């Protein structure tokens, strides 16, 4: 071992002075112990067996794919759970525009207008109180669709308050009433009764 490596240096007057080597410093290549540990870790990863490295890559891809699949599933579920809005809510501006929603009510008598050039049909639904919404639909309406009966439509509302339906659902038989429409009519009837009672006081 040389005097320099042991921390011994010669002073200007020839006297030997002992110095304390800096801790954590490797004189062999000028690296600290922390630097050598990082280098060793990098070398270990680089020397990892190909099979193990490939296995880690596959596991990472599976995790990412699962995350993407869950995100898409939740998005599809959210689209299927379209919120229902009554004619009163649409009239009051509570329904969003340019978003797929559901709307419904009773088809107003003498409101159905059929195009003579294509399959477009315009009609009006009401909550049987004082709120109405115009619905535009292009396609073949259900066989049970008729004026004076309840329907539920799925589509988008534009800025002018016109509902463009992608699908129209009519009741299944003569006695069936869509639950959303039944609730709309019940709320409308309760509001009408409250209005009548308020006017008589």
């Amino acid at each position: 071992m040389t005097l320099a490596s042991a921390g011994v240096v010669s002073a200007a007057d020839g006297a030997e002075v002992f110095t304390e080597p800096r801790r954590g410093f490797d004189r062999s290549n000028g690296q600290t112990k922390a630097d050598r540990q990082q280098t060793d870790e990098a070398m270990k990863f680089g020397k990892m067996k190909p099979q193990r490295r490939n296995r880690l890559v596959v596991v990472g891809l599976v995790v990412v794919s699962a995350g993407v699949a869950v995100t898409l599933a939740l998005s599809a579920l959210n689209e299927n759970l379209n919120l229902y809005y009554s004619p009163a809510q649409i009239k009051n501006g509570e329904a969003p525009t340019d978003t797929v929603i559901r709307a419904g009510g009773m088809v107003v008598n003498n409101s159905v207008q059929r195009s003579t050039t294509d399959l477009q049909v315009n009609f009006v639904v009401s909550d049987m109180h004082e709120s109405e919404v115009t619905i535009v639909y292009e396609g073949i309406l259900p066989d049970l669709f008729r004026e004076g009966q309840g329907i539920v439509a799925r589509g988008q509302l534009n800025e002018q308050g016109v509902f463009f339906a992608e699908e129209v659902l009519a009741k299944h038989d003569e006695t069936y009433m869509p639950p959303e429409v039944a609730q709309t009519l019940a709320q409308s009837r309760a509001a009408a009764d409250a209005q009548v009672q308020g006017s008589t006081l």
Side-chain angles (χ1 to χ4, degrees):
M1 179 176 63
T2 63
L3 294 178
S5 63
V8 181
V9 296
S10 297
D13 56 359
E16 293 182 346
V17 180
F18 288 86
T19 60
E20 182 69 19
R22 190 171 59 182
R23 294 182 179 179
F25 188 82
D26 188 351
R27 295 179 178 277
S28 61
N29 54 11
Q31 287 184 327
T32 63
K33 290 184 178 180
D35 293 337
R36 286 192 58 82
Q37 289 179 355
Q38 293 180 356
T39 303
D40 292 342
E41 291 295 331
M43 292 179 64
K44 288 180 181 179
F45 182 80
K47 294 180 180 179
M48 185 182 297
K49 294 182 179 180
Q51 293 180 350
R52 184 179 179 184
R53 188 186 301 110
N54 293 339
R55 191 179 299 114
L56 291 176
V57 172
V58 171
V59 171
L61 293 176
V62 170
V63 172
V64 173
S65 300
V68 173
V70 171
T71 301
L72 293 177
L74 292 177
S75 177
L77 180 62
N78 185 45
E79 291 181 358
N80 291 331
L81 296 178
N82 305 127
L83 296 178
Y84 173 84
Y85 292 89
S86 66
Q89 290 175 311
I90 294 176
K91 182 179 178 180
N92 294 334
E94 300 178 23
T97 58
D98 300 326
T99 301
V100 178
I101 61 174
R102 291 185 298 135
M106 301 294 291
V107 181
V108 177
N109 291 328
N110 300 320
S111 68
V112 178
Q113 299 179 356
R114 301 178 184 272
S115 173
T116 58
T117 58
D118 51 30
L119 296 178
Q120 180 172 308
V121 181
N122 299 358
F123 57 92
V124 178
V125 295
S126 170
D127 60 1
M128 304 301 291
H129 181 40
E130 50 183 33
S131 299
E132 296 181 347
V133 176
T134 299
I135 295 181
V136 178
Y137 176 70
E138 185 170 353
I140 300 176
L141 290 168
D143 294 335
L144 294 176
F145 174 90
R146 55 180 59 91
E147 296 177 346
Q149 295 183 351
I151 64 97
V152 174
R154 184 175 66 88
Q156 298 185 23
L157 186 71
N158 68 3
E159 296 291 344
Q160 290 71 39
V162 179
F163 190 87
F164 287 84
E166 301 173 356
E167 183 180 20
V168 175
L169 303 175
K171 59 185 185 179
H172 302 295
D173 54 48
E174 294 294 334
T175 60
Y176 177 80
M177 175 70 69
E180 298 92 342
V181 177
Q183 183 178 5
T184 295
L185 297 180
Q187 293 174 348
S188 176
R189 190 177 301 111
D193 293 342
Q195 185 175 4
V196 171
Q197 292 178 0
S199 61
T200 57
L201 294 179

